[in-house]
Amino acid sequence: MTDEKTAILKGTLDMLILKVVALGPIHGYAISQRIQQISKDYFQLQEGSLYPALHRLENRGFLAADWQSTDTGREAKFYKLTRKGRKRLETEMEGWERMTEAVALILRTAE
Amino acid sequence: MSWLGRFFRKRNRESQLDSELRFHIEQKTAQLTGPGVESAEARRRAMAKFGGVEAVKENCREARGTYFIETLGRDVRYAFRTLSKSPGFTAVAVITLALGIGANAAIFQLIDAVRLRTLPVKDPGALAIVHLNKNHWGSGNFNGPYAEYTYPLWRQIRQRQEAFSPIAAWGADSLNLAVGGEVNYANAIWVSGAFFRTLGIRPLLGRLISDSDDRPGCAGGVDLSYAFWQKRYGGAADVIGKTLTLEDHPFPILGVAPPTFYGVSVGNRFDVAVPVCAEPTVFGVHSRINGPRARESWWLSVFGRLKPDWTLPRATAQLNTILPAALRETIPSQYDADMVKRYMAYSIETRPAANGFSSLRKDMSTPLWLLLGLSGLVLLIACGNLANLLLARAATREREFALRLALGTSRLRLLRQLLCESALLAIAGTICGGFLAAALSKSLVAFLSTPGNPIFLDMPTDWRVLGFAAGLAILTTVLFGLIPGLRAGRVPPASVLRSGGRGMTAGRERFRLQRILVASQVALSLVLLAGALLFARSLQNLMSRNLGFQQNGVLVANADFTRLHLPEAQSDSFVRDLLHRIRAIPGVAAAADSIRSPVSGDISNRWVVDKNGKHPNGASFLDYVSPGYFETMQMRLVQGRDFNAADTATSPKVVIVNEAFVKKFLKGTEDPIDEQIRLWSPPGKPEPDYTVVGVVANSVYDDMHAPFQPIMYFPSSELEPRYANEGAVFLVRSRLGAAALLNPVKETIAGVNPGIDAQFVVLRTQIRQSLIQDELMATLSGFFGGLAVLLAAIGLYGVISYTVAQRTNEIGVRMALGAQRSSVIRLILGEVSFLIAIGVAVGAGLTLAGSRAAGSLLFGLKADDPLTLAAAVVILAGIGLTASFMPARRASRLDPMAALRQE
């Protein structure tokens, strides 16, 4: 862990992936770029560690994948959200919001 | 996509994973390539950003559900390859395991067969043995190992009891199948009518004895066991209605029992079952049912099926309330007031009969549990050895593990591969151990069986036994097989790789573990070795014990005259004549007749009483012998004279006693000759006193383990004709060895009258057979002890070799600095001595604590015999030092330069 970059909070990588994939079919490389872009390179992400998470999500039925051509004509594995995955994303986001609210509340009021 | 479908698309998935990751890296490289950055540099950065590709792949595979099965086959193949690359290690590991497991499984199988197996009958849980607690042996005839009831007492109990329905009695016997010539005994059981019904056994053929067969005065009929039917009749179906001759009485064959039913006595198999009511037919006036001595003939055992709403305590209580009345009705007529009082004090106890009756269990359970303990120790030592082997092996594989971890193998995967290796070793060990166990337990049973007491144990391959063995094997190997894997994961791979040839983890920690293992092996081996020496010395003591007679060169002929129906008056002259002819056989040095032979299991005794008719000193053993008996047995006549032709039934009563008798009954008097001895006799049947005419040296009567006991010898001419015309035992001393006389004596006896039933045995063999249990303990504990020492020696050798290998560099430095070869050897042997000393100290403590269990099985020495322990220590230390000397010498021959260069 460096000073400027923070490791992705344990357990939240799955949620971030689901959120990014929810926008539409997307391949692994693009997912990693998107996460770094949106977070303004805040997270320190070993890019390879994305793939085991992708495969796990696929194996559990939250993601579906097929091979499609990219804009440049290369074959790439595109992931998209399944209905089960969408539900999972919703419950994870709810849980996350409840938790951040609770944490914020404690930080505000415990001064 | 189905799970199975995914599994079969493995190859496809592997290449997909490949292209997916490649795509990522190419994209990243393309992105990073730009002005001032060459594509090679961009690719390097992309790779760095990505992380270890192989590790990522491995993690992706693991994320898949089918990963476990996909790689299992690969891991097993890999394990096979690794093991076959080190055949020495594999062989030692498998053999070690097989020996440990095989020995344990064999002993366990025996214990299971003897102690734990339930009877092969219907609902054995509801069966109970009705056991008569006798606080003394009473007086009378006892037949068979389970002689608890007389027939009159059994009838009383059957009438009065309420707890059991049905209730049955049985008694074991040997009945002669042969018609003349050499006897051929069948294992017979006398059964009451309800016997088979109580057990719930159905016939295989014909019908089984039922209540209607058991009526007083019945003609009788027999049921055959399956094995006997197969052996004697070849399993012929038309056997029903044929005739079987028992003790010269023909009986029709009624039926055949099913193959699963071997009887109710574990360890013995019955051949024929005969209804109790047929007993008078066979034994005539000596019948234990309606003969004059029926009330003092103990020969039956009783068991029953508990009624549904009854419990054992309630049954015991009910039986004990009716027992006094039952006893009062059956008091033996010859008992005096004192004995009646004791007779009336008998009580009844009931206990579960699910495991059947077994004297084998009573006799063998202490040795068997002890042997299981010993074989358990062997297994522990074997495990220790295996652990050491695996640890030493791990040391050499440290770099391999580190390298593979660095290359991205997950720790889990590494552990699984080790698990596969362990499992393969365990499986191979179990299979070999299983074969070993089967062979071992068969030979154990063969070992325990004697012609006079054949033992039959039903020992089919038992899944419980195999499970027990396999469980042990897997636990052991997995436990120790995983240690290196767990260790490997704890140390950062880089540091192992950096440390070059020398293993990083070869530090103190594992060294300590290995030393502890070896010291424990030494400790346990000492226990086993000391045990082995104890039993060996005990057997040695027994075999070299002074018997008081010369056992070599004596043939025993047990002759039975029952079928001759000799007139009482002739029986004595008949025996004299037969003895005369035997003495005339060339090669016979001496011969005599008697009513028993030593250590044959036949015993008789009588109470010796004082002037007031009291018997403060109890009973003395006795024998009836002809003149020349002491000469034949080569027993020393200490004082007085032998019997002679003048001692007849009508001459004054004389007796020869042994020294132990003089000490116990004659206050050790210096001059016992002409002392008078009075024996207890039933009221109204007074006997004259006996005059001591001779004193002989002490000799063993029946039990090789017992000290010398008082014996009285009476002239066989005085024997009551009733006994004399039944038979005689001829003891024949040969000049040529006992076996050489077998045929001449057999022919002589048959020549006098072919109707004489005779059975022959060499006295020495008979005595040896009484030592079977001691021999078994000595042999097996010797086997285990040898095995333990061998394993400990291998362990020491292994650890010292390993130490030397680890310290090559240090030793090189020492030698380069001028250390002598001898001081290197001293250095290493010093370490070994330390390990052995600790092991021996702990082992000696364990031996002393554990040896008490063996105390009752030893003869002529105590379980904590210091000499035995000292011998064990010396032997073990000697072997241990020898085993370590080889690696020590190898170390001393190191070339210092080569050793240093190895750095």
Side-chain angles (χ1 to χ4, degrees), chain B residues 611-870:
Chain B
K611 298 277 175 288
N612 307 318
K614 297 277 175 228
H615 33 79
N617 287 323
S620 164
F621 287 119
L622 62 90
D623 201 349
Y624 284 85
V625 302
S626 69
Y629 176 84
F630 303 114
E631 185 201 334
T632 305
M633 298 302 289
Q634 294 185 0
M635 289 167 68
R636 194 162 51 88
L637 192 64
V638 181
Q639 271 177 297
R641 64 169 178 90
D642 188 5
F643 298 130
N644 55 41
D647 299 311
T648 63
T650 50
S651 66
K653 301 279 187 189
V654 292
V655 63
I656 294 175
V657 298
N658 68 355
E659 292 169 314
F661 186 96
V662 174
K663 196 171 167 203
K664 188 169 178 189
F665 294 101
L666 299 175
K667 302 184 187 110
T669 173
E670 290 285 313
D671 185 21
I673 303 298
D674 291 337
E675 287 274 347
Q676 301 292 303
I677 290 169
R678 181 174 299 173
L679 301 178
W680 182 86
S681 54
K685 284 173 112 186
E687 273 181 50
D689 287 354
Y690 291 82
T691 306
V692 176
V693 295
V695 177
V696 289
N698 287 330
S699 63
V700 172
Y701 187 76
D702 191 65
D703 185 353
M704 286 290 286
H705 304 80
F708 290 128
Q709 286 173 311
I711 310 176
M712 307 178 280
Y713 300 89
F714 302 103
S716 57
S717 53
E718 262 184 28
L719 208 54
E720 282 182 52
R722 179 154 69 84
Y723 292 105
N725 67 6
E726 281 195 355
V729 175
F730 295 98
L731 296 139
V732 188
R733 178 166 294 282
S734 164
R735 292 184 216 281
L736 316 162
L741 284 182
L742 179 60
N743 280 326
V745 173
K746 201 188 264 184
E747 281 157 19
T748 304
I749 292 178
V752 170
N753 190 327
I756 299 172
D757 297 324
Q759 203 183 17
F760 301 90
V761 62
V762 173
L763 183 60
R764 192 185 156 76
T765 312
Q766 177 167 297
I767 290 171
R768 261 312 266 276
Q769 280 172 359
S770 81
L771 301 179
I772 284 275
Q773 185 181 311
D774 307 272
E775 224 169 299
L776 175 80
M777 289 308 293
T779 311
L780 278 186
S781 67
F783 173 66
F784 291 153
L787 205 60
V789 172
L790 181 71
L791 288 175
I794 293 176
L796 270 171
Y797 174 83
V799 165
I800 299 308
S801 304
Y802 177 69
T803 315
V804 168
Q806 293 296 316
R807 292 171 66 178
T808 304
N809 201 251
E810 177 205 327
I811 294 169
V813 172
R814 280 172 190 267
M815 290 177 73
L817 290 177
Q820 293 297 310
R821 293 190 190 286
S822 61
S823 72
V824 170
I825 293 184
R826 254 205 312 280
L827 176 78
I828 299 203
L829 287 191
E831 212 166 293
V832 175
S833 309
F834 177 69
L835 285 180
I836 293 181
I838 290 184
V840 160
V842 175
L846 286 176
T847 309
L848 290 178
S851 59
R852 244 174 303 152
S856 65
L857 299 172
L858 296 177
F859 176 81
L861 74 169
K862 288 227 171 69
D864 56 357
D865 185 54
L867 196 66
T868 307
L869 190 57

Side-chain angles (χ1 to χ4, degrees), chain A residues 5 27-30 32-33 36 43-56 58-59 67 70 72 74-77 79, chain B residues 6 13 15-17 19-28 31 46-52 55-56 59-61 63-66:
Chain A
K5 295 187 176 181
H27 53 68
Y29 175 68
S32 74
Q33 299 311 304
Q36 307 236 326
F43 289 124
Q44 181 209 37
L45 181 66
Q46 189 94 61
E47 288 175 11
S49 65
L50 190 68
Y51 287 91
L54 278 171
H55 285 232
R56 192 169 53 245
E58 184 190 356
N59 190 42
W67 290 79
T70 60
T72 57
R74 291 279 320 263
E75 281 274 302
K77 191 176 178 188
Y79 293 89
Chain B
R6 271 188 281 163
R13 285 201 73 111
S15 67
Q16 282 190 15
L17 176 64
S19 13
E20 185 179 15
L21 300 188
R22 201 177 327 116
F23 173 76
H24 183 114
I25 289 164
E26 280 167 12
Q27 292 286 311
K28 189 79 187 176
Q31 189 206 339
M47 293 288 277
K49 191 89 178 124
F50 190 83
V56 167
N59 286 336
C60 285
R61 289 184 200 118
R64 267 186 246 146
T66 55

Side-chain angles (χ1 to χ4, degrees), chain B residues 258-282:
Chain B
T260 50
F261 182 70
Y262 52 82
V264 287
S265 155
V266 176
N268 306 104
R269 176 162 54 179
F270 82 101
D271 293 327
V272 295
V274 195
V276 165
C277 62
E279 198 262 2
T281 318
V282 174

Side-chain angles (χ1 to χ4, degrees), chain B residues 136-459:
Chain B
H136 75 119
W137 269 106
S139 155
N141 298 333
F142 296 85
N143 278 89
Y146 314 108
E148 293 203 315
Y149 292 86
T150 62
Y151 181 77
L153 185 56
W154 147 242
R155 282 195 50 179
Q156 288 288 329
I157 300 280
R158 181 173 55 179
Q159 259 170 36
R160 295 169 192 264
Q161 69 86 22
E162 289 163 16
F164 299 96
S165 177
I167 187 167
W170 70 285
D173 216 331
S174 292
L175 299 179
N176 188 6
L177 292 165
V179 185
E182 195 164 359
V183 297
N184 176 14
Y185 286 116
N187 289 324
I189 48 176
W190 298 103
V191 299
S192 73
F195 182 83
F196 289 109
R197 187 160 60 91
T198 309
L199 293 171
I201 308 264
R202 307 195 149 276
L204 180 76
L205 221 64
R207 63 184 186 83
L208 295 176
I209 292 161
S210 67
D211 299 79
S212 59
D213 293 300
D214 193 19
R215 298 235 167 80
C218 67
V222 297
D223 282 322
L224 311 181
S225 75
Y226 180 84
F228 184 75
W229 175 56
Q230 289 292 334
K231 192 176 79 186
R232 194 174 166 96
Y233 296 99
D238 62 352
V239 74
I240 308 298
K242 280 194 175 165
T243 303
L244 183 74
T245 306
L246 294 173
E247 300 289 338
D248 244 2
H249 297 279
F251 289 102
I253 294 170
L254 302 178
V256 176
T260 50
F261 182 70
Y262 52 82
V264 287
S265 155
V266 176
N268 306 104
R269 176 162 54 179
F270 82 101
D271 293 327
V272 295
V274 195
V276 165
C277 62
E279 198 262 2
T281 318
V282 174
F283 288 111
V285 289
H286 303 310
S287 164
R288 297 163 293 185
I289 289 182
N290 52 22
R293 295 191 47 156
R295 285 184 170 197
E296 30 181 66
S297 297
W298 308 85
W299 59 296
L300 294 170
S301 290
V302 175
F303 65 94
R305 194 171 278 280
L306 213 56
K307 287 180 185 168
D309 46 343
W310 283 69
T311 61
L312 283 186
R314 192 174 155 213
T316 308
Q318 198 271 333
L319 284 162
N320 278 313
T321 47
I322 58 105
L323 184 63
L327 289 171
R328 206 172 303 120
E329 294 287 328
T330 57
I331 293 172
S333 53
Q334 302 201 323
Y335 278 20
D336 63 13
D338 189 33
M339 292 171 82
V340 168
K341 210 172 101 196
R342 292 203 240 183
Y343 181 76
M344 290 301 296
Y346 289 171
S347 66
I348 278 181
E349 188 191 336
T350 55
R351 54 174 179 237
N355 304 113
F357 294 77
S358 181
S359 64
L360 187 66
R361 179 179 312 147
K362 251 187 322 211
D363 297 345
M364 292 307 297
S365 69
T366 313
L368 281 179
W369 284 117
L370 200 63
L371 284 175
L372 188 67
L374 293 182
S375 63
L377 288 185
V378 170
L379 187 64
L380 272 183
I381 296 173
C383 288
N385 237 18
L386 202 64
N388 255 341
L389 279 172
L390 289 166
L391 283 177
R393 185 170 149 81
T396 59
R397 294 175 76 185
E398 230 156 50
R399 279 172 63 79
E400 176 203 332
F401 290 157
L403 200 63
R404 288 173 55 196
L405 280 175
L407 287 178
T409 309
S410 72
R411 246 185 92 188
L412 202 69
R413 185 77 194 277
L414 202 63
L415 283 178
R416 250 190 37 196
Q417 283 175 351
L418 281 172
L419 204 64
C420 273
E421 280 176 33
S422 297
L424 277 184
L425 286 178
I427 290 169
T430 306
I431 292 172
C432 296
F435 282 116
L436 198 67
L440 206 59
S441 56
K442 274 207 188 70
S443 47
L444 273 178
V445 171
F447 196 103
L448 288 169
S449 285
T450 58
N453 182 25
I455 290 176
F456 163 79
L457 284 176
D458 183 29
M459 293 198 300

